[in-house]
């Protein structure tokens, strides 16, 4: 396998590794983690708001099991 074939087969992985190294080296991973937690919290909050009764039922069942 020559370099051109290697690049064509694995260019996505190579670019991903380079981006990951840059994120870690610059300290952006902390910012990305904070943004991910915020988005997860927003998603969970929206889900609970849209499915109040279902969440209440599941939560009551979970508490009863404990």
């Amino acid at each position: 396998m020559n370099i051109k074939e290697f690049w064509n087969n694995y260019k996505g992985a190579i670019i991903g590794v380079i981006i990951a190294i840059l994120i870690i080296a610059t300290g952006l991973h902390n910012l990305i983690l904070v943004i991910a937690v915020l988005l997860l919290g927003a998603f969970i909050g929206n889900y609970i708001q849209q499915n109040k009764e279902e969440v209440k039922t599941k939560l009551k069942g979970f508490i009863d099991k404990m």
Side-chain angles (χ1 to χ4, degrees):
M1 174 183 295
N2 61 24
I3 292 181
K4 186 175 182 178
E5 288 177 26
F6 182 80
W7 173 254
N8 286 335
N9 288 336
Y10 299 107
K11 67 182 164 190
I14 294 168
I15 293 170
V17 167
I18 292 170
I19 291 172
I21 290 170
L22 288 174
I23 288 172
I24 292 170
T26 59
L28 288 176
H29 62 281
N30 292 330
L31 177 62
I32 293 171
L33 180 63
V34 168
I35 291 171
V37 169
L38 288 173
L39 290 175
L40 183 63
F43 176 77
I44 291 171
N46 186 47
Y47 178 81
I48 290 172
Q49 183 180 5
Q50 300 296 324
N51 302 298
K52 288 178 188 174
E53 295 302 318
E54 182 180 341
V55 171
K56 283 180 186 177
T57 305
K58 287 182 180 180
L59 187 58
K60 185 175 189 265
F62 177 73
I63 291 171
D64 289 343
K65 287 181 183 179
M66 293 179 97

